[in-house]
């Protein structure tokens, strides 16, 4: 049923693009391209999503709609990240973040910082990833976005684990588990607990190796 709805949505957005083009409504056309990008993204049609978001970005820029342009750039960054086009994704997220900061959209800024953290992590730039996730987590806490805070804590904990900073990893992952339990975020609880088990195992192995050579 969900797949059927996506097919219908794609047809509707495509029809709207034609209508808005015919009557010269650029804002409507940009919104339709942005919506079409969302549909393609949800269906994992990333090439088509990238094309739609890029069209939306161009139109929003031409009519001076900053919020629309930032949202489309964020969607573009998400799509490029899904395609492992990390350099392009970083550029799209950075442009979106700049606009969100200018117009005072904290939610958008936090989301793009989180996306940047993902990109840096995938490229093994852990220092930059840590900075992005930390900024995102701070904003999420300020605006009361518990889901965003849980996800940011998880990813920071994952980085600390890779860096063998086990006490810091444990603190972050415990925070993520507590927040996830509070908001009934099953995936967050599952991943946090799995990573906490990994931390404990590595700590034990590290201690065992150290004592072996004492």
């Amino acid at each position: 049923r969900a797949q059927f709805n996506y097919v219908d949505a794609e047809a509707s957005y495509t029809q709207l693009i034609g209508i808005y083009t015919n009557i010269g409504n650029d804002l409507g056309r940009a919104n339709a391209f942005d919506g079409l990008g969302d549909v393609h993204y949800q269906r994992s049609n990333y090439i088509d999503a990238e094309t739609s978001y890029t069209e939306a970005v161009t139109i929003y820029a031409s009519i001076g709609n900053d919020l629309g342009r930032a949202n489309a750039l964020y969607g573009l960054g998400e799509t490029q990240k899904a395609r492992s086009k990390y350099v392009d994704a970083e550029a799209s997220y950075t442009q979106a973040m700049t606009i969100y900061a200018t117009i005072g959209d904290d939610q958008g800024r936090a989301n793009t910082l989180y996306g940047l953290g993902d990109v840096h992590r995938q490229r093994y730039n852990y220092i930059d990833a840590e900075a992005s996730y930390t900024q995102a987590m701070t904003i999420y806490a300020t605006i009361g976005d518990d889901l965003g805070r849980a996800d940011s804590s998880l990813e920071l904990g994952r980085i600390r684990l890779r860096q063998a900073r086990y006490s810091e990893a444990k603190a972050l992952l415990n925070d993520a588990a507590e927040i996830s339990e509070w908001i009934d975020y099953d995936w967050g609880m599952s991943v946090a607990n799995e990573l906490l088990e990994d931390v404990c195992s590595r700590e034990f192995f590290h201690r065992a190796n150290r004592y072996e050579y004492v």
Side-chain angles (χ1 to χ4, degrees):
R1 180 61 182 167
Q3 182 67 22
F4 175 76
N5 286 339
Y6 283 131
V7 171
D8 281 357
E10 182 179 344
S12 295
Y13 281 126
T14 302
Q15 187 176 12
L16 283 170
I17 289 168
I19 293 170
Y20 286 131
T21 299
N22 287 337
I23 64 176
N25 185 327
D26 288 335
L27 177 58
R29 191 158 58 96
N31 290 341
F33 270 117
D34 192 43
L36 186 58
D38 290 344
V39 170
H40 287 313
Y41 179 83
Q42 290 298 327
R43 299 180 70 194
S44 301
N45 294 336
Y46 298 128
I47 294 175
D48 291 336
E50 189 169 346
T51 300
S52 296
Y53 285 132
T54 300
E55 191 67 35
V57 168
T58 301
I59 301 169
Y60 283 130
S62 71
I63 62 177
N65 187 315
D66 289 335
L67 178 59
R69 185 158 62 103
N71 289 340
L73 280 165
Y74 173 75
L76 185 58
E78 290 283 280
T79 302
Q80 290 162 336
K81 181 178 69 178
R83 297 183 66 198
S84 301
K85 298 171 66 175
Y86 298 128
V87 173
D88 291 340
E90 183 177 354
S92 295
Y93 283 136
T94 301
Q95 289 181 67
M97 185 175 61
T98 300
I99 299 169
Y100 283 132
T102 300
I103 64 179
D105 187 328
D106 289 335
Q107 182 75 62
R109 192 157 59 98
N111 291 343
T112 49
L113 280 164
Y114 183 87
L116 276 170
D118 286 345
V119 167
H120 293 313
R121 179 173 55 81
Q122 291 293 338
R123 299 174 72 190
Y124 305 105
N125 294 333
Y126 294 129
I127 293 175
D128 290 338
E130 189 176 334
S132 294
Y133 286 135
T134 300
Q135 290 180 69
M137 186 168 62
T138 300
I139 299 170
Y140 284 134
T142 301
I143 63 178
D145 184 338
D146 290 330
L147 178 59
R149 193 156 58 101
D151 283 337
S152 300
S153 295
L154 274 175
E155 296 308 331
L156 274 172
R158 201 191 300 271
I159 289 173
R160 298 285 198 276
L161 176 58
R162 284 181 177 270
Q163 296 170 327
R165 295 159 66 180
Y166 299 128
S167 60
E168 295 173 55
K170 255 198 280 196
L172 285 160
L173 294 169
N174 278 321
D175 284 347
E178 288 178 13
I179 298 166
S180 296
E181 184 176 9
W182 173 257
I183 62 176
D184 293 324
Y185 183 29
D186 291 338
W187 183 85
M189 280 190 286
S190 174
V191 173
N193 289 326
E194 182 181 323
L195 289 172
L196 280 166
E197 288 179 12
D198 197 3
V199 171
C200 291
S201 296
R202 294 193 192 197
E203 274 188 320
F204 177 80
F205 183 75
H206 177 73
R207 282 196 301 268
N209 280 349
R210 186 177 60 189
Y211 292 141
E212 185 177 337
Y213 296 101
V214 172

